[in-house]
Amino acid sequence: MQMTPTIAVHMAAALTAVALGPLALWARLGRTKRPRLHRALGYAWVTCMIAAALTALFIRDFNLPNIAGYTPIHLLIPLTLGSLFFAFRFLAKGNIPGHRKTMQWLYFNACIVAGAFTLLPGRYLGDWLWAV
């Protein structure tokens, strides 16, 4: 697989989301809560997650087991978009614990777990990382 503009945008959005996620979560921890910082970082993180999910729709891999170029990792697209919907729905209803759990779950599964899968051999980053 070659680096295309779609893959470049996807990687930039995903890597930015990986970096911003802990900062957004940190802004609400401890004695000093930083709601403005949390909100700003949160909106930036959500924007990156939406960009990563939407660009992933246009990235196909016919080398791995797939259906029309979509591999099992593409199942994270509806999970990501659905989780973002429910996280904001929880927030609108004042259910802060539900919002927090959903966002933490989403960060771990969509950023950390999916990120780990991209480092496997046969994936673009995996081949780049493990090439000798």
Side-chain angles (χ1 to χ4, degrees), residues 29-110:
L29 294 177
R31 281 191 233 163
T32 308
K33 297 186 185 211
R34 300 159 187 88
R36 287 184 182 156
L37 181 61
H38 172 74
R39 187 171 291 155
L41 291 170
Y43 280 128
W45 183 78
V46 167
T47 302
C48 289
M49 291 300 292
I50 291 171
L54 293 179
T55 55
L57 286 170
F58 302 101
I59 300 172
R60 305 257 177 92
D61 189 350
F62 294 97
N63 296 326
L64 297 173
N66 69 81
I67 297 172
Y70 292 109
T71 62
I73 201 166
H74 284 91
L75 293 173
L76 284 172
I77 296 168
L79 281 173
T80 297
L81 297 174
S83 295
L84 288 171
F85 170 79
F86 284 110
F88 279 100
R89 187 169 165 201
F90 284 136
L91 195 59
K93 291 185 175 193
N95 184 349
I96 303 304
H99 173 74
R100 182 183 308 116
K101 280 185 182 179
T102 304
M103 288 303 211
Q104 288 172 343
W105 181 90
L106 183 59
Y107 178 77
F108 180 75
N109 288 297

Side-chain angles (χ1 to χ4, degrees), residues 10-26:
H10 179 77
M11 280 180 27
L15 290 172
T16 304
V18 168
L20 287 178
L23 297 174
L25 295 171
W26 165 82

